Amino acid sequence: MQGINFIFIRMLPKVDPTKTQSWQKLSQHYQTWENLHLRRLFEEDPQRFERFKSAAAGWQVDLSKNLMTTETQELLLALARECQLPEAMEAQRKGDPINETEQRAVLHTALRDRSNKARVEGQEVRPAVKEVLEQMHDFSDLLISGNWKGYSGKTIKNVVNIGIGGSDLGPAMVYEALKPYRNHLHCYFVSNVDGQHLQDTLQGLPPEQTLFIIASKTFTTQETMTNAHSARAWFLRHSDAKETDVAKHFVAVSTNEEKVKEFGINPSNMFGFWDWVGGRYSVWSAIGLSLCCGLGFKNFEKLLRGAEAMDHHFYEAELEENVPVQLALLGIWYVNFWGARSEAMVPYNQHLHRLAAYFQQGNMESNGKRINRAGTPVSYATGPVVWGEPGTNGQHAFFQLLHQGTPFIPVDFIGTAFSAQETGDHQAKLLANLLAQSEALMRGKTPEEAAAELQEEGYSPALVDHLAPHKAFPGNRPSTTLLTDKLSPERLGSLLALYEHKIFVQGIIWNIYSFDQWGVELGKQLAKPLLSELQGKALHDHDSSTAGLLQMLRQWRADS
Ligand code: F6P
């Protein structure tokens, strides 16, 4: 944005959530929880599950194991209204430049919403979206059918996506999640500037049957451009291809045509998108090209349809029944009133093993902000750390802390009734574990129950006294369970859109800007002089730690 001037148009409400009546009421309401326990709430209300279950776009969502009563829910909804959430949703949907610090619209939803009439600067966006989708369709069909030939006349067998952050995490995660839908093309994802990532990936790949997708919104990202240049050098070094053959093996996905040309990729092999698609929300754009290749365009379209179904739910359902809104509000309740500093995403589906990593960027790059929309520091906590690993693996790693540790960590359990490939009784065991974990977190085990169990097992009274506190579980630890039938492209699409909307709602309530990411800039700036210093050039001024480490590395590398 350097050297660019724009008129700062204010689009979003600027309500300090702590100044609302609902916030005050929620603070008072929180005090009432001292005497409440989820176990008791379930005992007292046999309808609790019915009362707090929701559904959206093929997902059944059980909110009943959350620390809420109908009063909590009403107060949280009132908070959303006081923070003008419905107005903000409308502003986003119609294409207002709600990414105010960059004066951009936020329209990843337009990439999948066929009825969307969103306009940016007076122009409808859908026609351009459709054009690129057709280009992606044609290209991926050519590749899959074998009609796109490499320079030697052979068909392409391997597709290597080179990108980082949003230009990598989304496609890489979806490619894993939809493993059963893969075709004969093999997709690989290279992101890290650690040369080993590229080397390891290219090991054994035949250049004449390999196609590279250089995926970068800006086409200036150091990691991606370094990998792209090295990949081109590898291609030319390991084959008898000429410079002119590069066109058959390198295509680009970007918003920056000039830079794409500069790299040497013909703009006819460029798949465009727009500045109103944030990097971490770009899997629905041409950034999904590798998915069209590896899963087929039809499956990519189904992914979009699933997201579209969730968008309809988000924009049309009343706030009371709105699943993304409910999840977002519970998150606010836990972060701002219960002091949660992180939340865990635990999918009971191995194919979702990259989901938490994907939403780490989604959440933490969006809502990891400390300045509010009025430009002053917030006085309350905003985006939490998001993390997770698939169950049941997590149970044998970090669940101990979830059950008996001191931090307060709400959990989302995500499960599918069916596995893509049923294997004996594996799926039943997997699901039993999912249910058991959410039940255990909710119920806990009292010291009396722990003592009774020990007595029954024949322990001496002294040992019972000694062990019971260690074997007790406090319970009252919240979780949400999201279930669907199977992990199809549609269901995955709706799940991803659900969490995207959750992030949006939270950003509105926290009164922050969720769609910029200035926090990644300082490190990038400082890396530039350090690179030249590491390469032996003149040293600049640094603190003693950075200078000391730099010297150590310079020495090591000079000695080798
Ligand atoms: O990490 C900062 C960031 O700008 C992300 O927001 C983005 O997803 C990533 O870098 C990659 O950017 P690009 O697609 O422009 O290479």
Side-chain angles (χ1 to χ4, degrees):
M1 300 295 292
Q2 252 174 12
I4 297 173
N5 282 313
F6 56 77
I7 301 162
F8 203 89
I9 308 173
R10 295 188 181 275
M11 283 294 163
L12 289 175
K14 284 164 188 54
V15 180
D16 179 338
T18 63
K19 300 283 184 311
T20 60
Q21 283 186 9
S22 326
W23 192 279
Q24 303 314 320
K25 288 187 188 162
L26 279 161
S27 306
Q28 288 156 15
H29 175 67
Y30 172 71
Q31 309 300 327
T32 66
W33 274 90
E34 252 179 54
N35 308 314
L36 293 181
H37 194 289
L38 276 173
R39 190 200 281 213
R40 200 155 54 87
L41 292 177
F42 272 99
E43 283 161 7
E44 286 170 3
D45 178 7
Q47 295 304 309
R48 190 172 164 85
F49 172 67
E50 289 300 325
R51 202 178 306 291
F52 291 116
K53 82 173 164 44
S54 259
W59 284 87
Q60 297 293 325
V61 183
D62 173 24
L63 302 168
S64 65
K65 290 197 187 93
N66 280 289
L67 300 165
M68 68 166 170
T69 60
T70 16
E71 191 187 349
T72 324
Q73 212 171 25
E74 279 160 15
L75 289 173
L76 287 168
L77 288 167
L79 175 68
R81 292 199 180 93
E82 276 194 83
C83 292
Q84 299 176 28
L85 175 66
E87 291 83 344
M89 285 163 73
E90 187 49 28
Q92 180 270 320
R93 193 186 194 187
K94 68 180 206 287
D96 288 348
I98 63 159
N99 174 0
E100 291 177 15
T101 55
E102 296 177 311
Q103 283 298 297
R104 289 176 184 168
V106 175
L107 277 178
H108 48 278
T109 45
L111 299 168
R112 58 219 189 191
D113 188 349
R114 289 165 294 177
S115 65
N116 199 303
K117 293 276 184 299
R119 286 171 181 268
V120 171
E121 287 162 12
Q123 292 276 315
E124 267 196 37
V125 298
R126 266 312 283 186
V129 170
K130 274 172 69 180
E131 207 176 296
V132 176
L133 280 171
E134 273 161 30
Q135 193 195 356
M136 291 161 75
H137 192 170
D138 292 346
F139 176 76
S140 53
D141 274 1
L142 277 178
L143 221 60
I144 296 165
S145 63
N147 285 321
W148 179 287
K149 307 274 190 236
Y151 78 94
S152 68
K154 286 192 181 164
T155 58
I156 297 296
K157 286 198 167 149
N158 308 295
V159 175
V160 181
N161 186 83
I162 296 184
I164 198 164
S167 302
D168 164 76
L169 287 163
M173 177 272 294
V174 173
Y175 191 61
E176 288 301 295
L178 298 181
K179 206 169 198 168
Y181 297 85
R182 289 182 189 176
N183 56 32
H184 63 282
L185 295 175
H186 300 285
C187 291
Y188 302 89
F189 296 87
V190 175
S191 51
N192 202 334
V193 76
D194 181 342
Q196 211 57 59
H197 198 181
L198 185 69
Q199 292 284 358
D200 291 351
T201 308
L202 298 184
Q203 188 82 41
L205 292 188
E208 76 269 28
Q209 294 193 291
T210 300
L211 180 119
F212 293 90
I213 299 176
I214 313 302
S216 173
K217 183 175 167 182
T218 53
F219 233 70
T220 57
T221 305
Q222 185 199 49
E223 292 91 332
T224 300
M225 296 327 296
T226 307
N227 277 323
H229 283 285
S230 299
R232 189 170 57 182
W234 170 88
F235 170 73
L236 292 171
R237 201 170 50 244
H238 290 85
S239 68
D240 51 7
K242 298 183 288 300
E243 272 287 344
T244 48
D245 296 326
V246 166
K248 298 192 174 92
H249 292 264
F250 283 77
V251 301
V253 178
S254 187
T255 58
N256 192 342
E257 187 171 328
E258 214 174 288
K259 289 277 171 201
V260 168
K261 274 197 230 155
E262 223 173 273
F263 180 84
I265 292 179
N266 189 327
S268 63
N269 292 337
M270 168 177 161
F271 300 78
F273 62 115
W274 308 272
D275 67 3
W276 40 263
V277 181
R280 51 195 174 274
Y281 300 91
S282 63
V283 67
W284 321 100
S285 72
I287 289 291
L289 184 64
S290 52
L291 298 172
C292 300
C293 299
L295 306 172
F297 185 78
K298 285 220 152 36
N299 285 319
F300 182 69
E301 245 191 343
K302 288 179 183 171
L303 185 81
L304 299 181
R305 294 296 70 83
E308 182 184 34
M310 186 57 78
D311 294 341
H312 282 300
H313 168 84
F314 178 60
Y315 293 119
E316 285 149 29
E318 295 298 327
L319 294 191
E320 290 72 1
E321 273 117 48
N322 200 310
V323 175
V325 172
Q326 296 282 355
L327 289 193
L329 292 174
L330 280 168
I332 304 262
W333 175 229
Y334 295 139
V335 166
N336 298 110
F337 298 89
W338 288 80
R341 290 292 168 265
S342 84
E343 53 191 46
M345 286 183 112
V346 186
Y348 278 67
N349 185 311
Q350 187 56 30
H351 286 161
L352 286 174
H353 70 107
R354 296 291 291 158
L355 186 74
Y358 174 66
F359 275 115
Q360 252 163 15
Q361 186 198 17
N363 277 271
M364 292 160 77
E365 214 173 62
S366 299
N367 287 341
K369 312 280 166 68
R370 51 178 280 283
I371 298 295
N372 66 20
R373 292 199 288 269
T376 53
V378 296
S379 58
Y380 45 87
T382 59
V385 173
V386 171
W387 60 283
E389 277 291 318
T392 58
N393 293 4
Q395 291 172 207
H396 299 273
F398 53 80
F399 267 66
Q400 163 64 41
L401 179 144
L402 297 182
H403 287 291
Q404 291 186 314
T406 51
F408 173 81
I409 304 176
V411 185
D412 279 1
F413 290 100
I414 300 163
T416 53
F418 300 100
S419 166
Q421 249 179 319
E422 294 280 327
T423 316
D425 61 358
H426 287 229
Q427 187 66 8
K429 285 178 175 158
L430 180 73
L431 292 170
N433 273 285
L434 182 163
L435 296 176
Q437 291 300 324
S438 76
E439 191 175 27
L441 285 165
M442 181 277 284
R443 283 182 65 80
K445 188 187 280 181
T446 63
E448 295 73 31
E449 285 170 336
E453 275 179 20
L454 289 163
Q455 273 158 12
E456 210 160 294
E457 286 164 34
Y459 284 85
S460 69
L463 263 181
V464 169
D465 281 353
H466 178 64
L467 289 176
H470 299 282
K471 297 194 113 191
F473 291 66
N476 210 28
R477 301 204 162 186
S479 70
T480 300
T481 301
L482 300 98
L483 294 179
T484 195
D485 48 358
K486 67 177 212 174
L487 194 59
S488 62
E490 290 92 337
R491 294 293 185 264
L492 178 65
S494 52
L495 181 73
L496 302 182
L498 190 172
Y499 280 107
E500 284 182 350
H501 294 311
K502 173 186 169 186
I503 295 167
F504 170 81
V505 173
Q506 293 190 326
I508 294 301
I509 292 175
W510 280 322
N511 193 25
I512 53 177
Y513 289 123
S514 299
F515 297 99
D516 59 21
Q517 56 285 317
W518 303 110
V520 299
E521 294 303 324
L522 181 58
K524 283 191 204 169
Q525 268 170 24
L526 297 185
K528 277 188 195 146
L530 282 164
L531 173 61
S532 77
E533 289 165 274
L534 269 168
Q535 287 168 334
K537 309 253 167 63
L539 292 169
H540 301 98
D541 260 358
H542 293 287
D543 59 88
S544 64
S545 160
T546 311
L549 295 168
L550 178 62
Q551 279 297 5
M552 247 179 233
L553 288 166
R554 268 168 64 121
Q555 191 70 49
W556 254 319
R557 293 179 63 83
D559 290 349
S560 68

